Amino acid sequence: MNASAASAASDQVLFDARLSPHRSLSPVGFRMLMAAIAAALLGVGAVFFAAGAWPVIGFCGLELALVYLFFQLNFRDLRRYETIRLTDAALEVRRVAPDGSAELVSFQPYWLKVTVENSPGRSSRLVLSSHGRALDVGSFLSPEEREDLARALGDALGRRRRASGVLA
């Protein structure tokens, strides 16, 4: 086997997942919600204006601006994601923050352990560990999604170990 064939074999992707936070409000839903809030605040402002309390209109506008700002901050988090890629050579976790900065953590797949830690009164954690290093992944996933991810990743690691002759 020549060097390029060996390199191609080690680059074969055995597992690839992209994890991102879930948001139930679509862009169209957001516009509809903002329109409804604006209409309600305009109605409240008009009532107070008719009663002679005209400064309330300014506070209604400020309230609308704050609601919009907080939703934009929430939507900013949608740019955050994690990718988990298992090849013959390594398991790589790439984290991308909302500001675009990225972090890459690599594990040797032979001895990697995938565990879901359940703590009383707290949400579960999906932990990848090997040789004294540990990494939490999918912190924004639901507990059921973490369990599914752990099962799928564990299955892929098991197939990888069996294919290479290392006992699972």
Side-chain angles (χ1 to χ4, degrees), residues 9-161:
S10 70
D11 290 342
Q12 180 184 5
V13 177
L14 306 170
F15 181 85
D16 194 12
R18 180 182 167 126
L19 314 175
S20 56
H22 174 72
R23 294 291 179 262
S24 57
L25 187 60
S26 69
V28 172
F30 171 68
R31 286 192 293 274
M32 291 173 51
L33 179 64
M34 287 303 297
I37 292 172
L41 288 173
L42 182 63
V44 168
V47 168
F48 278 94
F49 183 78
W54 57 269
V56 171
I57 292 178
F59 287 105
C60 288
L62 178 63
E63 187 174 358
L64 183 63
L66 285 174
V67 167
Y68 179 81
L69 173 72
F70 289 133
F71 267 109
Q72 290 306 309
L73 289 174
N74 187 11
F75 288 144
R76 178 180 175 261
D77 196 41
L78 284 175
R79 293 185 293 224
R80 171 182 168 197
Y81 66 90
E82 296 176 356
T83 59
I84 301 173
R85 176 171 285 174
L86 173 64
T87 64
D88 287 329
L91 181 122
E92 296 179 340
V93 177
R94 183 171 185 252
R95 291 182 167 163
V96 177
D99 65 1
S101 63
E103 169 192 17
L104 182 66
V105 180
S106 184
F107 290 97
Q108 200 278 341
Y110 293 112
W111 312 114
L112 184 67
K113 184 177 178 184
V114 179
T115 55
V116 177
E117 297 177 355
N118 293 309
S119 302
R122 297 187 64 199
S123 184
S124 64
R125 292 176 33 202
L126 176 57
V127 180
L128 306 178
S129 58
S130 177
H131 294 91
R133 291 180 18 198
L135 179 69
D136 286 359
V137 293
S139 62
F140 44 77
L141 298 176
S142 71
E144 295 81 18
E145 290 170 326
R146 278 189 217 107
E147 291 282 345
D148 290 344
L149 177 62
R151 192 174 311 108
L153 185 54
D155 290 347
L157 285 166
R159 285 191 306 274
R160 165 68 184 96
R161 288 177 187 133

